[in-house]
Amino acid sequence: MYRLSKRAAAPIVAFLVAIILLSSMSASIMLVSEEYRRSAAGNVEQVEEVSEALRENVKVTLLSVSGGVVTLQINNTGDVPVRLTKVLVKGDDDSLITACLPSPVEIPAGGSKTVTATIPEGSISSVGVMSERGNIFVASASTVVFTQTGLPSGTEWSVTFNGETKSTTGDSIIFEDVEPGTYGWSASSPVNLGGDTRYVASPSSGAIDVPNQTVVAITYSAQYYLS
């Protein structure tokens, strides 16, 4: 039976101790890695939940697109502010255009603001905005406005748009939540006031391509019966 001297055994003991230490360190690293993975997964899940909540709380309405200028109404019904930095425009050919806002726009919790940005002219299929954290909110619908001039104050007139008819004695008729597409419309014409006078609309009907056109101006002109 062989016996090792203390001097000969020392390297072996040191080697065994090193193996034990390395095993312990590896186990610790694995525990830390697993904890980090769980933490990272939890953070991703939390970010996704926050993003989904933001998408539900932020409503974007396209008000108009005219002369290379897009105007959006942003409503924030959530309890945290949203800071917007860019406007995104998708063309009919699926091209994506990013327009930076002159300065970040903060929409306070429970507040709303109108955002305007300059974009290249052309047909578009959808519009959205991007926050500084990368959340994207797409305008789900547009607001279409018909205005009139020429009728005497208090005169009732009407517009039929996409099968829906609205009347007013004011100067404008509004149709909300209009999806992108081409829609036909017609205005009441002639408008008879009794006696020898009536008012004729110009134009009295037509079609508009939403969201490329969201405002229609109608002019009424008086006509007189000759006896």
Side-chain angles (χ1 to χ4, degrees), residues 57-59 73-82 106-114:
N57 294 332
V58 177
K59 181 181 179 182
Q73 178 73 31
I74 317 294
N75 294 305
N76 180 12
T77 60
D79 54 6
V80 294
V82 176
E106 183 167 308
I107 314 297
S112 64
K113 285 188 179 180
T114 300

Short mmCIF file of all heavy atoms in Angstrom, two decimals, residues 57-59 73-82 106-114:
data_model
loop_
_atom_site.label_atom_id
_atom_site.label_comp_id
_atom_site.label_asym_id
_atom_site.label_seq_id
_atom_site.Cartn_x
_atom_site.Cartn_y
_atom_site.Cartn_z
N ASN A 57 -56.72 52.18 -24.86
CA ASN A 57 -57.05 53.47 -24.28
C ASN A 57 -56.83 54.65 -25.23
O ASN A 57 -57.38 55.72 -25.00
CB ASN A 57 -56.23 53.71 -23.01
CG ASN A 57 -56.60 52.74 -21.90
OD1 ASN A 57 -57.73 52.27 -21.84
ND2 ASN A 57 -55.65 52.43 -21.03
N VAL A 58 -56.01 54.47 -26.25
CA VAL A 58 -55.70 55.56 -27.17
C VAL A 58 -56.47 55.37 -28.47
O VAL A 58 -56.30 54.38 -29.16
CB VAL A 58 -54.19 55.64 -27.46
CG1 VAL A 58 -53.90 56.74 -28.47
CG2 VAL A 58 -53.42 55.89 -26.17
N LYS A 59 -57.34 56.33 -28.78
CA LYS A 59 -58.13 56.27 -30.00
C LYS A 59 -57.67 57.36 -30.96
O LYS A 59 -57.57 58.53 -30.58
CB LYS A 59 -59.62 56.45 -29.71
CG LYS A 59 -60.49 56.38 -30.97
CD LYS A 59 -61.96 56.59 -30.66
CE LYS A 59 -62.80 56.54 -31.93
NZ LYS A 59 -64.23 56.78 -31.66
N GLN A 73 -57.03 63.37 -34.68
CA GLN A 73 -57.53 63.64 -33.33
C GLN A 73 -57.13 62.47 -32.45
O GLN A 73 -57.47 61.32 -32.74
CB GLN A 73 -59.04 63.81 -33.33
CG GLN A 73 -59.66 64.06 -31.96
CD GLN A 73 -59.37 65.45 -31.43
OE1 GLN A 73 -59.24 66.39 -32.22
NE2 GLN A 73 -59.27 65.60 -30.13
N ILE A 74 -56.39 62.74 -31.35
CA ILE A 74 -55.92 61.69 -30.45
C ILE A 74 -56.66 61.82 -29.12
O ILE A 74 -56.60 62.86 -28.48
CB ILE A 74 -54.40 61.79 -30.20
CG1 ILE A 74 -53.65 62.07 -31.50
CG2 ILE A 74 -53.90 60.53 -29.51
CD1 ILE A 74 -53.72 60.98 -32.51
N ASN A 75 -57.35 60.76 -28.71
CA ASN A 75 -58.04 60.73 -27.43
C ASN A 75 -57.40 59.67 -26.54
O ASN A 75 -57.28 58.51 -26.94
CB ASN A 75 -59.53 60.41 -27.61
CG ASN A 75 -60.26 61.51 -28.35
OD1 ASN A 75 -60.23 62.67 -27.96
ND2 ASN A 75 -60.91 61.16 -29.45
N ASN A 76 -57.00 60.07 -25.34
CA ASN A 76 -56.38 59.15 -24.39
C ASN A 76 -57.32 58.96 -23.20
O ASN A 76 -57.46 59.83 -22.35
CB ASN A 76 -55.04 59.72 -23.92
CG ASN A 76 -54.34 58.80 -22.92
OD1 ASN A 76 -54.73 57.65 -22.73
ND2 ASN A 76 -53.31 59.32 -22.27
N THR A 77 -57.98 57.80 -23.16
CA THR A 77 -58.93 57.53 -22.08
C THR A 77 -58.28 56.78 -20.92
O THR A 77 -58.96 56.43 -19.95
CB THR A 77 -60.11 56.70 -22.61
OG1 THR A 77 -59.62 55.44 -23.13
CG2 THR A 77 -60.85 57.44 -23.71
N GLY A 78 -56.97 56.52 -21.02
CA GLY A 78 -56.28 55.79 -19.96
C GLY A 78 -55.89 56.68 -18.80
O GLY A 78 -56.21 57.87 -18.76
N ASP A 79 -55.16 56.09 -17.84
CA ASP A 79 -54.75 56.83 -16.65
C ASP A 79 -53.26 57.17 -16.66
O ASP A 79 -52.70 57.57 -15.64
CB ASP A 79 -55.09 56.04 -15.38
CG ASP A 79 -54.52 54.63 -15.39
OD1 ASP A 79 -53.77 54.31 -16.34
OD2 ASP A 79 -54.83 53.86 -14.47
N VAL A 80 -52.60 56.99 -17.82
CA VAL A 80 -51.19 57.38 -17.95
C VAL A 80 -51.04 58.22 -19.22
O VAL A 80 -51.73 57.99 -20.22
CB VAL A 80 -50.25 56.16 -18.03
CG1 VAL A 80 -50.27 55.38 -16.73
CG2 VAL A 80 -50.63 55.25 -19.19
N PRO A 81 -50.17 59.23 -19.20
CA PRO A 81 -49.98 60.06 -20.40
C PRO A 81 -49.27 59.29 -21.51
O PRO A 81 -48.57 58.31 -21.25
CB PRO A 81 -49.11 61.22 -19.89
CG PRO A 81 -48.39 60.66 -18.71
CD PRO A 81 -49.33 59.68 -18.08
N VAL A 82 -49.46 59.73 -22.75
CA VAL A 82 -48.81 59.13 -23.91
C VAL A 82 -48.06 60.22 -24.65
O VAL A 82 -48.61 61.29 -24.93
CB VAL A 82 -49.84 58.47 -24.85
CG1 VAL A 82 -49.15 57.92 -26.09
CG2 VAL A 82 -50.57 57.34 -24.13
N GLU A 106 -47.44 65.38 -26.07
CA GLU A 106 -47.89 64.58 -24.93
C GLU A 106 -49.39 64.69 -24.77
O GLU A 106 -49.94 65.79 -24.66
CB GLU A 106 -47.19 65.01 -23.65
CG GLU A 106 -47.58 64.13 -22.45
CD GLU A 106 -46.67 64.34 -21.25
OE1 GLU A 106 -45.44 64.25 -21.41
OE2 GLU A 106 -47.21 64.59 -20.16
N ILE A 107 -50.06 63.53 -24.77
CA ILE A 107 -51.50 63.48 -24.55
C ILE A 107 -51.72 63.09 -23.09
O ILE A 107 -51.40 61.97 -22.70
CB ILE A 107 -52.18 62.45 -25.47
CG1 ILE A 107 -51.67 62.57 -26.91
CG2 ILE A 107 -53.70 62.61 -25.40
CD1 ILE A 107 -51.96 63.89 -27.56
N PRO A 108 -52.21 63.99 -22.26
CA PRO A 108 -52.37 63.66 -20.84
C PRO A 108 -53.42 62.59 -20.62
O PRO A 108 -54.26 62.34 -21.48
CB PRO A 108 -52.79 65.00 -20.23
CG PRO A 108 -53.45 65.74 -21.35
CD PRO A 108 -52.70 65.34 -22.59
N ALA A 109 -53.36 61.96 -19.47
CA ALA A 109 -54.37 60.95 -19.12
C ALA A 109 -55.75 61.60 -19.14
O ALA A 109 -55.96 62.65 -18.54
CB ALA A 109 -54.07 60.37 -17.75
N GLY A 110 -56.67 60.98 -19.85
CA GLY A 110 -58.02 61.51 -19.95
C GLY A 110 -58.15 62.72 -20.84
O GLY A 110 -59.20 63.37 -20.87
N GLY A 111 -57.11 63.04 -21.62
CA GLY A 111 -57.14 64.22 -22.47
C GLY A 111 -57.15 63.90 -23.94
O GLY A 111 -57.14 62.74 -24.36
N SER A 112 -57.17 64.93 -24.77
CA SER A 112 -57.16 64.76 -26.22
C SER A 112 -56.46 65.95 -26.87
O SER A 112 -56.45 67.05 -26.31
CB SER A 112 -58.59 64.63 -26.77
OG SER A 112 -59.31 65.83 -26.57
N LYS A 113 -55.87 65.70 -28.03
CA LYS A 113 -55.20 66.76 -28.77
C LYS A 113 -55.32 66.49 -30.26
O LYS A 113 -55.52 65.35 -30.69
CB LYS A 113 -53.72 66.86 -28.38
CG LYS A 113 -53.47 67.51 -27.03
CD LYS A 113 -51.99 67.74 -26.80
CE LYS A 113 -51.75 68.42 -25.46
NZ LYS A 113 -50.30 68.67 -25.22
N THR A 114 -55.17 67.55 -31.05
CA THR A 114 -55.15 67.44 -32.50
C THR A 114 -53.70 67.49 -32.96
O THR A 114 -52.95 68.38 -32.56
CB THR A 114 -55.95 68.57 -33.15
OG1 THR A 114 -57.31 68.50 -32.72
CG2 THR A 114 -55.92 68.45 -34.67
#
